[in-house]
Amino acid sequence: MLVELLFMSSAAALAQGAEAEAESAAAELKISAIIIPGFASSQLRAWALLDCPFSPLDFKPLDSVWLDSRKVISVTNCWLKCILLDPYNQTDHPECSSRPDTGLSAITEIDPGYITGALSTVWREWVHWLVEFGIDANVVTPMPYDWRLPGSLLEKRDMYFYRLKIAFETALKLHGVPALVFAHSMGNSVFRYFLEWLRFEVAPRRYQAWINDHIYAYVAVGAPLLGSAEALKATLSGLTFGLPMAEGTARRMCNSFGASLWMLPLSEHSHVSEVYKERDSNAKHSKDKRKKMDPPYHFDWPTDVAEIQIPEEQDAECPMEVIVNGMAVCNMHTKRAYSAAEVADGTLFQEIAHFDQEGERAIYQLKKFYLEDAVVNGLTPWSRPPIRNIFCAYGINMKTEVGYRFAPTGKPYPDNWIITDTVYEVEGGTLQSRSGAAVEGNPSPASGDGTLPYNSLSFCKTWLGSRVNITRVPQTSHDGSDVQEVINYEHLLGTDIVPNMSRDTRVNYITFYEDETSYPGRKTAVWEFDKVNHRNMVRSPHLMRELWLELIYSGHPAAQRKFMPKGVRYPIRDEDCFWDYAKARCAVSEYCEYRYVFGDVHLGQSCRLKPSKQSDLLVKYL
C-alpha cells in the first residue's frame, strides 16, 4: 500500500550509482488497495426524518446512526428504531432506515470523543500512515458495507459483491496492476463470501484468471476463521461494544442482525456438505470428550463454548433461587454443555427454543442465512483461497474469552439469561475461570487477541504447506542479535505449528511462518504479533512496516528471495525510534537522535529519525 513511495525513495538513491535499470523498474511499480472493514467498524447513516419525543436530538437524513453516542444515551428507543432490523426478514423499521456510508471517512472517525474510545478510530492511524508516506488518495478504495446483514442480503439488497467486483476491475484499469485486499475481522468472512459468489458470476474457466488479474495479495488481519465466543455471548446475554447501554438492550440489537451469527464458534471438523437436520428435543445430548493433546496441535476449541442450566420441561418452575453477582438466579439442576460444533449447527438453539423465544429466531436465521445458503455456508472452515500471495496477521497472548456458563434469571426477554462464569485462555496456554481458578480442557499453545481465541486466529496455518520457514524477531527496530530461525520445518498438514524457540518476557516478538515452495507460484505467510489486541492489530505500526517492506521487496528486481529477510530492522519512521533506558540515550543511535518537540510527554516520543536518513535506510533493505 505504501509501495510507491518506497520505490521512489529507493530509486532516488539508486540513481546516484550504477543501478539505473533497477531505478526504472522500481519507478514503474504501482499497487492499489481495497479495504474491507470488520463488524461495527464503519459508519451507518440515517435515511429518514424521525422525530424523537421530548428531545431535540431528532434523526435527519445522513445523520450518524452508528455511532452517535449522544443519541445512544439520550434517545435510546429512538436510536433503536434506526439501528434494529426485523429479525426474520432483515428489513428496516417503518419509521427509520440506515445505510452504510462511503469513502475513507466511513471507516476512519466513526464517532470522535472520549465515550466511544478505540471503537471510534479503528482505521485512523492506518490512514495517517498513508498520508505520511505520500500515498495518493485514489490508490485506496474502502468498501464499507452494512455489517448488520448476512452475505446473501448484502448482495440482494445492496448489490455489495457486484460493486466489490466493479471496484477490483476499476482499480485494475486505473492503476494497471492487481489490487491488495486488506480485510479485518468479519471483513474476512465477507471477502470469503465474495470469492464464492464470484464462482457464479464469472465463467468457470475464467474464475482463476479473474482472481490472478485483479488480486495481487490478500492480507487477512484478525480473521475469525473458527468464529468467536463473543458472538454467542451477544446472542444470549448481549454485547455492548463498550457503549453505555444495558446488556438487555444490546441483546435486542445484536439478535436483530443476521450477521451476528456469522461469527459463531465452529468446529475445525465441520464440512461444507453438512446441512441442518431437525433433532428430536428428547434426543440424548452428546458431549465431546476432551483430553490434553500432545503435539502436533489441532484447532478444536479448548473447552465447551457454553454450559447452560436449563429446565427439563417448558413450564418447569424455578425450584430454588441463588444469588449470583447480586441477582437472584434460578438454580436449575440440569446442566448441558455445548461444543463449538453444537453451536454452529443449531443444536444449542434447538434445545433452548422450548423456553426461550430467541431460540426459534436464531434457528431461523441460522438455517436461512448460513446452513442453507446457496453460495457458501459461512459456518464451516475455510480452505486456502486461490490467491497468489496471502498474509495472515493477528495478535496473540492476550486474555481472551473462550466459554461461558449461563443460567436463567426467571425474568422476561431480553434479560432472561445471566453469565455466571466466564472461561478465559491466558498467556502460557492455560484456561482460567473469571475468579482465576484453573479450568480443565484442551488449551491452545498460546492465547488469542482479546476478542478471537487462538485456535480461530491460527487456523490459517492450515493454509501453509509441508515446508515452512519460521523466524522470531523483536517487534521494535533491531540489529539482528535477537533473531531465531528454523529453516524447512516439516509441517504436518492440518495441524498447528508450535516452534521450539526461546522468549524473553520483556520483549514483544513477531513470529513469521512462511511457505514459498509448497504451492508453485503461490506464497503463504502467517504473522503472530505478541500483545496486540484485536482492534489495535489494524493500526499496528509493526504490521504496516512488515507489510510495506514485504510488498516492496517481493516486487523489486534486486530481490534474491521470495520473502523479505528478517535479520535486521532499521527505523524508517519516528515511531520506530525509542529510548534505551539502560544506555540513557535513544536506541539505534546511528539512525535515531534525541530531538524534543513541544508536546512530548516522555523520552521515547523525543527520539526521532535523523534527517536525511530515511531514503538511505530504505535502500539497505534491498
Side-chain angles (χ1 to χ4, degrees), residues 80-99 146 148-150 153 156-157 256-258 365 368-369:
L80 285 174
K81 291 181 180 180
C82 293
I83 194 71
L84 293 181
L85 297 174
D86 183 278
Y88 288 92
N89 56 30
Q90 296 292 281
T91 55
D92 300 291
H93 190 278
E95 297 182 40
C96 184
S97 61
S98 299
R99 291 296 180 266
D146 193 335
R148 302 172 299 170
L149 296 177
L153 294 185
K156 182 178 180 180
R157 195 196 74 178
S256 76
F257 303 159
Q365 289 186 353
K368 181 176 181 179
F369 300 133

Side-chain angles (χ1 to χ4, degrees), residues 127-365:
V127 175
H128 284 183
W129 179 293
L130 299 180
V131 174
E132 179 181 347
F133 283 89
I135 301 304
D136 193 83
N138 67 0
V139 171
V140 182
T141 304
M143 290 298 296
Y145 54 94
D146 193 335
W147 38 265
R148 302 172 299 170
L149 296 177
S152 58
L153 294 185
L154 282 176
E155 179 60 20
K156 182 178 180 180
R157 195 196 74 178
D158 298 341
M159 295 187 69
Y160 176 78
F161 298 113
Y162 178 78
R163 292 189 291 110
L164 183 56
K165 177 175 178 286
I166 296 299
F168 279 108
E169 294 171 348
T170 302
L172 178 62
K173 290 183 178 180
L174 185 62
H175 304 287
V177 292
L180 167 74
V181 180
F182 199 97
H184 178 236
S185 192
M186 196 180 80
N188 293 279
S189 301
V190 173
F191 182 59
R192 175 194 185 182
Y193 198 97
F194 167 74
L195 292 179
E196 297 299 328
W197 170 87
L198 193 65
R199 296 181 185 274
F200 299 88
E201 185 69 14
V202 301
R205 294 181 180 179
R206 282 287 305 157
Y207 177 74
Q208 187 61 57
W210 191 96
I211 291 177
N212 293 341
D213 292 342
H214 295 86
I215 304 177
Y216 171 73
Y218 167 41
V219 184
V221 182
L225 299 178
L226 294 181
S228 169
E230 287 191 354
L232 181 63
K233 176 183 179 180
T235 300
L236 293 185
S237 178
L239 191 63
T240 65
F241 301 95
L243 294 173
M245 67 169 71
E247 287 188 350
T249 302
R251 186 187 180 197
R252 285 183 57 203
M253 178 182 70
C254 292
N255 286 351
S256 76
F257 303 159
S260 292
L261 302 181
W262 210 341
M263 294 181 289
L264 281 179
L266 60 125
S267 169
E268 63 170 318
H269 306 294
S270 300
H271 299 288
V272 176
S273 60
E274 288 185 357
V275 296
Y276 180 83
K277 297 180 180 179
E278 294 290 342
R279 289 174 171 79
D280 184 352
S281 61
N282 295 322
K284 184 179 179 180
H285 181 77
S286 63
K287 176 181 177 181
D288 290 341
K289 294 182 179 180
R290 305 180 181 278
K291 62 180 181 178
K292 182 72 175 179
M293 295 173 58
D294 296 325
Y297 296 94
H298 292 269
F299 298 92
D300 205 355
W301 277 76
T303 184
D304 291 312
V305 179
E307 183 180 279
I308 301 181
Q309 297 182 20
I310 58 178
E312 290 290 349
E313 299 179 3
Q314 182 177 357
D315 298 327
E317 297 180 356
C318 180
M320 184 184 303
E321 288 187 349
V322 295
I323 304 299
V324 178
N325 297 333
M327 179 182 295
V329 177
C330 285
N331 184 21
M332 298 300 183
H333 297 292
T334 302
K335 293 183 180 180
R336 295 186 180 177
Y338 298 88
S339 66
E342 293 167 325
V343 173
D345 69 6
T347 300
L348 182 152
F349 303 111
Q350 178 78 10
E351 295 188 358
I352 69 171
H354 298 291
F355 53 91
D356 187 340
Q357 62 184 16
E358 283 305 294
E360 294 184 1
R361 185 274 318 165
I363 292 171
Y364 178 86
Q365 289 186 353

Side-chain angles (χ1 to χ4, degrees), residues 581-604:
Y581 286 91
K583 297 181 180 180
R585 66 182 186 188
C586 291
V588 202
S589 57
E590 181 182 355
Y591 303 103
C592 299
E593 65 180 5
Y594 181 84
R595 192 165 70 250
Y596 175 80
V597 174
F598 180 77
D600 292 347
V601 296
H602 59 78
L603 294 171

